[in-house]
Amino acid sequence: MLKSLEKTAVLFVDIINDFHFDGGKALASNTKEILPHLISLREFAKTNALPIIYVNDHYGLWQADFRKIIDHCYNDASKDIIEALQPDDQDYFLIKPQHSAFFQTPLQSLLSELNKDSLIMAGIAGDICILFTAKDAYMYGYKMHIPENCMASEGKDNNAYALYLLHAVMKADTTAI
């Protein structure tokens, strides 16, 4: 865990997901495996008054309204995850056009406004969106903790390789929570 929480924000990437794509069934299954840890991370953030920032795919809606995204994504594959982790009115919710939570989003400005230089990052897909987000966070100089038990990908081998890259290349702490 990061040494100081004072300048830390929690970032959930693509947690609200419809899983309607090739590999979606495997990703949903792997996400459900880490769900208890994601719930614990959310509770930890709330207990420690850490800002929680959701950055999510837009699903063609292009409105940063988590209720509309939830309505679009809610189905049998996603309902357990959404019900456990949906944002509340105190959380921040941003949409992204592509893989990185930083690419063409106001995330960096928000983190600056909140005076945060450290991220606890969680979500899906670890080998794509988490990896791209962490690459950008690393380039911007953020300290990162990306718990290995709070990240899922379609394939477990791909997830393991992404965790290796996150730790070895981007200097992220990948210790489980």
Side-chain angles (χ1 to χ4, degrees), residues 75-93:
N75 60 49
D76 286 341
S78 66
K79 67 181 180 181
D80 293 341
I81 298 161
I82 289 172
E83 289 172 2
L85 293 172
Q86 65 184 317
D88 62 33
D89 289 330
Q90 287 72 50
D91 298 328
Y92 298 91
F93 186 82

Side-chain angles (χ1 to χ4, degrees), residues 5 12 27 33 65 78-79 91 105 107 123 125 129 143 151 162:
L5 294 178
F12 282 114
L27 182 58
E33 285 182 23
D65 181 339
S78 66
K79 67 181 180 181
D91 298 328
T105 75
L107 179 58
C129 298
K143 296 176 210 83
M151 183 178 99

Side-chain angles (χ1 to χ4, degrees), residues 49-63:
L50 301 179
I52 299 174
I53 305 167
Y54 290 79
V55 184
N56 219 90
D57 285 337
H58 58 77
Y59 294 97
L61 299 174
W62 285 105
Q63 295 173 334

Side-chain angles (χ1 to χ4, degrees), residues 159-177:
N159 204 63
Y161 186 63
L163 284 163
Y164 162 77
L165 291 173
L166 292 167
H167 179 72
V169 177
M170 291 161 240
K171 311 304 182 213
D173 177 358
T174 58
T175 307
I177 57 166

Side-chain angles (χ1 to χ4, degrees), residues 26-27 30-31 123-128 151-156 158-160 162:
L27 182 58
N30 291 337
T31 303
I124 57 178
D127 60 340
I128 304 170
M151 183 178 99
S153 302
E154 290 175 27
K156 298 221 177 187
N158 293 355
N159 204 63

Side-chain angles (χ1 to χ4, degrees), residues 127-149:
D127 60 340
I128 304 170
C129 298
I130 298 289
L131 189 63
F132 281 58
T133 299
K135 183 268 307 171
D136 286 347
Y138 177 74
M139 297 298 290
Y140 287 129
Y142 289 95
K143 296 176 210 83
M144 293 178 282
H145 182 194
I146 307 169
E148 64 184 357
N149 59 348

